[in-house]
Amino acid sequence: MGKIKLDSRLSAVASLVREGCIVADIGTDHAYLLAHLLEEGRITKGIAADLRKGPLDNAKKTLIDCEQLENVKLVLSDGLDEIKKGECDDITIAGMGGILIKEILERTPWIFDKNIHIIAQPMTHGEILRKFLAENGFVIDKELAATDGKRHYCIISAYFDGEKRIAESWYTYVGELIYNKDEVSQMYINKIVAALEKKLVAIKKAGDKPFSGLSPAHGTVYLMKNPFTVPL
């Protein structure tokens, strides 16, 4: 067994990485994800990218400690800006907001390629990210949910196939998790529903007419069908 132990969130991200690929880990921080994948023999090379020097120094220390530094390229980069086409196969972006992940992806033209695999773990605004992926030719083939006991996370796996889709509004909130049978996925969906119900109560108290006559159940359905009225 390797030295690096991942939490449930990063373990879920790691489980979606294709074996033998080159992974670009964006916002790598301590490079725990890459170190784990290398130690387990899942990959042989990786790119650790971060916006700031401090996290890259942390990543370098982790990789030295587990004797994997020679297998990872350290890159000071705002998102994918300093990573070139052909340098990686899988892209992991974990621990950022969904809006920021969307912005990173949309300004990187070489990701619109059928050979590229995106694994994203948005901390917020998963609905914004799913909408972007659907409308820009990506298919979400799988989603996982993870929890640390306090927070619940979704992890999105997507490939570019060129087919632009109109995502159903409910889908932007829960994605492929709705088809999962595990308890953690259901917990994540329940969290989304609860957040929508909380927003509905606040909106009704403010006296917004479209919501004033809705019951909590019907109001939640309305918000799931019209997610960008009050995005999470």
Side-chain angles (χ1 to χ4, degrees):
M1 294 296 291
K3 300 175 184 177
I4 301 296
K5 304 296 183 184
L6 301 181
D7 60 19
S8 59
R9 178 178 67 91
L10 287 181
S11 290
V13 173
S15 73
L16 293 172
V17 170
R18 295 179 293 181
E19 189 167 349
C21 71
I22 300 175
V23 178
D25 186 33
I26 309 305
T28 194
D29 196 15
H30 287 76
Y32 291 145
L33 177 64
L34 288 177
H36 172 80
L37 290 167
L38 287 161
E39 287 187 330
E40 294 295 317
R42 294 278 307 286
I43 63 172
T44 57
K45 293 182 180 180
I47 299 171
D50 210 287
L51 178 61
R52 294 171 291 124
K53 183 177 182 297
L56 279 185
D57 289 341
N58 293 335
K60 184 175 182 180
K61 182 178 184 306
T62 297
L63 294 164
I64 289 172
D65 289 347
C66 65
E67 301 180 347
Q68 295 291 345
L69 182 60
E70 65 181 15
N71 298 315
V72 177
K73 178 181 179 182
L74 298 170
V75 180
L76 191 66
S77 179
D78 185 355
L80 289 156
D81 292 357
E82 303 304 320
I83 298 174
K84 299 178 178 62
K85 180 179 180 179
E87 286 192 298
C88 66
D89 309 300
D90 280 21
I91 299 167
T92 56
I93 312 181
M96 301 183 194
I99 294 175
L100 179 55
I101 296 174
K102 166 187 171 291
E103 291 172 350
I104 289 171
L105 295 176
E106 68 183 347
R107 70 171 186 256
T108 309
W110 56 262
I111 67 162
F112 297 88
D113 182 314
K114 294 180 180 180
N115 296 314
I116 297 294
H117 179 207
I118 295 170
I119 304 166
Q121 184 269 301
M123 298 295 286
T124 57
H125 293 291
E127 76 282 359
I128 300 288
L129 179 58
R130 290 187 187 94
K131 183 174 187 288
F132 165 79
L133 291 169
E135 292 180 349
N136 287 273
F138 290 88
V139 58
I140 298 175
D141 70 306
K142 186 175 184 179
E143 291 194 42
L144 300 175
T147 182
D148 58 12
K150 296 179 181 179
R151 300 195 64 169
H152 301 87
Y153 311 97
C154 68
I155 300 92
I156 300 169
S157 168
Y159 294 87
F160 181 76
D161 67 358
E163 181 181 343
K164 296 183 179 181
R165 299 165 174 84
I166 299 175
E168 293 286 343
S169 296
W170 64 266
Y171 184 86
T172 66
Y173 272 119
V174 296
E176 294 296 311
L177 293 176
I178 199 74
Y179 304 112
N180 293 356
K181 304 298 183 183
D182 63 290
E183 182 180 0
V184 180
S185 292
Q186 188 59 56
M187 290 167 63
Y188 181 88
I189 293 169
N190 290 344
K191 181 199 78 167
I192 293 296
V193 171
L196 288 170
E197 288 176 344
K198 184 177 179 180
K199 287 180 179 294
L200 174 65
V201 170
I203 290 168
K204 290 177 74 172
K205 283 184 178 179
D208 284 15
K209 291 182 180 180
F211 303 92
S212 58
L214 295 177
S215 69
H218 287 93
T220 301
V221 171
Y222 180 91
L223 291 178
M224 291 190 80
K225 289 183 176 179
N226 300 272
F228 305 105
T229 306
V230 280
L232 296 176

